[in-house]
Amino acid sequence: LGVAGDTDSRARLVEDLDDLVREVVDDLYLRAFARVDGTPTFTHTEALAIARAAVRDPQARLEPADADRATPHGRRVAFAETVRAEVEVRKRRLGVLSYDDLLSQLAAALADEDGAAAQRMRARWRIVLVDEFQDTDPVQWQVFQRAFNGHATMVLIGDPKQAIYAFRGGDVTTYLRAAATAARQQTLAVN
């Protein structure tokens, strides 16, 4: 159902956006610093690291969000924001989608509680079991919540002490927020 949202039917799924990110960084870095007198705010290598981090976890907030854009921190945040926007433009132009795009588009399609995507998912699954829930990212939880909350039995299994996928967007805070909404919590005392 990831293509239930705003997707070009001819778009192709790609696993790795790194070549596109490199191209965007090269173009934006030249635009930002080619005519600067003195030392640029950050190196090209640092720019690539900033871009990769921003694109790797597209729903993550870029901090410090309120930094003055004239400061080094503010320039980095602005660069990351510009990279994200430009990568989106070029993905559309090239007709490519990432796995994150499929997930985000499904979450958007589920925004209408009575929409086709939500109805289809609810008709198909009456019980939803999510293992390793501590590694769920905010968009994944949004999908589960929008599709199934109040319509299906959701069983979320996780241990916040085992959260290991922060590098991929897994967010223990999402786990804790979801756990706080649970009608019932149980603990496995002996494994």
Side-chain angles (χ1 to χ4, degrees):
L1 288 175
V3 294
D6 177 27
T7 302
D8 180 349
S9 62
R10 298 165 302 195
R12 64 188 165 86
L13 186 62
V14 295
E15 290 184 37
D16 186 8
L17 295 172
D18 199 58
D19 288 342
L20 180 59
V21 171
R22 284 177 169 277
E23 178 184 299
V24 167
V25 167
D26 290 347
D27 292 347
L28 295 178
Y29 192 81
L30 280 173
R31 187 182 311 155
F33 299 116
R35 292 190 167 90
V36 171
D37 292 332
T39 306
T41 307
F42 43 87
T43 67
H44 182 271
T45 302
E46 290 169 325
L48 188 56
I50 291 165
R52 284 177 171 153
V55 172
R56 179 179 58 238
D57 190 359
Q59 80 268 355
R61 285 183 16 187
L62 300 171
E63 293 290 345
D66 59 351
D68 178 356
R69 297 307 195 233
T71 67
H73 290 305
R75 293 290 305 264
R76 284 176 171 82
V77 170
F79 186 79
E81 289 169 346
T82 305
V83 165
R84 278 184 177 171
E86 186 62 24
V87 165
E88 289 305 311
V89 167
R90 293 186 192 194
K91 282 192 307 187
R92 287 229 183 224
R93 188 179 308 140
L94 294 169
V96 298
L97 292 168
S98 69
Y99 290 110
D100 285 322
D101 294 326
L102 292 179
L103 192 58
S104 296
Q105 290 175 5
L106 178 56
L110 291 168
D112 177 3
E113 186 175 318
D114 296 319
Q119 295 301 326
R120 186 170 170 193
M121 290 176 75
R122 291 174 192 148
R124 186 164 181 185
W125 297 293
R126 301 256 182 246
I127 298 174
V128 178
L129 180 107
V130 184
D131 197 11
E132 303 294 343
F133 190 77
Q134 73 275 358
D135 293 318
T136 300
D137 71 39
V139 177
Q140 291 168 330
W141 174 235
Q142 190 176 56
V143 166
F144 291 127
Q145 203 171 26
R146 287 178 174 178
F148 302 114
N149 193 30
H151 301 280
T153 299
M154 279 197 291
V155 179
L156 311 175
I157 303 163
D159 180 353
K161 292 177 285 207
Q162 294 184 22
I164 60 171
Y165 286 99
F167 71 90
R168 185 58 198 98
D171 180 10
V172 75
T173 305
T174 299
Y175 167 90
L176 296 171
R177 284 188 189 132
T181 67
R184 185 171 46 166
Q185 294 186 14
Q186 294 182 313
T187 300
L188 179 64
V190 177
N191 186 346

